Amino acid sequence: MFVPQKIVGVPWFAPETYRACCAVMDDGDELPEDYSEWLAEAVELVAEIEEGGHRALKVVIDVKEFPVWCRAHNIAPDAKARVRLAKFVAFQEAGYAKDRLARRG
């Protein structure tokens, strides 16, 4: 029997906008100061997801679009919102949502 692979959205930062993204996040001071430190943690998370038999979908957090998306959904721009956006994009990728409101990476 075929079991579809679960898609797990993972919030992802681009190196060139990492510091700017941290600055617009309510919890930006809780993120690693150095991008390479954040990247190492994120790569480890992706590996854990994939080792579990799932597909990790890196959802790039856009420094300009993310705060707008948060305001539109009446949520604070923080870790919970990043995860919510990543889950939403994963739902889109899986075909559960038709609107393309966010970028994938």
Side-chain angles (χ1 to χ4, degrees):
M1 178 173 110
F2 173 74
V3 177
Q5 189 179 36
K6 180 179 176 184
I7 300 172
V8 179
V10 179
W12 204 263
F13 294 108
E16 61 274 8
T17 60
Y18 179 71
R19 293 305 319 147
C21 283
C22 290
V24 301
M25 302 291 169
D26 284 1
D27 62 346
D29 59 336
E30 296 174 26
L31 291 165
E33 191 169 321
D34 185 60
Y35 177 79
S36 62
E37 184 181 338
W38 172 84
L39 183 60
E41 293 174 11
V43 166
E44 186 175 316
L45 175 61
V46 167
E48 289 174 14
I49 291 167
E50 292 175 347
E51 287 170 7
H54 307 297
R55 177 177 159 217
L57 178 67
K58 299 172 186 173
V59 178
V60 177
I61 304 297
D62 183 279
V63 69
K64 293 178 183 173
E65 293 177 13
F66 183 69
V68 173
W69 185 86
C70 289
R71 282 192 298 278
H73 291 85
N74 199 31
I75 55 177
D78 59 12
K80 287 182 182 180
R82 293 189 296 273
V83 169
R84 184 172 167 182
L85 175 63
K87 285 182 179 182
F88 176 76
V89 174
F91 261 55
Q92 288 179 322
E93 185 73 15
Y96 295 115
K98 294 182 182 176
D99 294 333
R100 297 281 179 196
L101 299 177
R103 293 185 187 165
R104 293 187 312 269

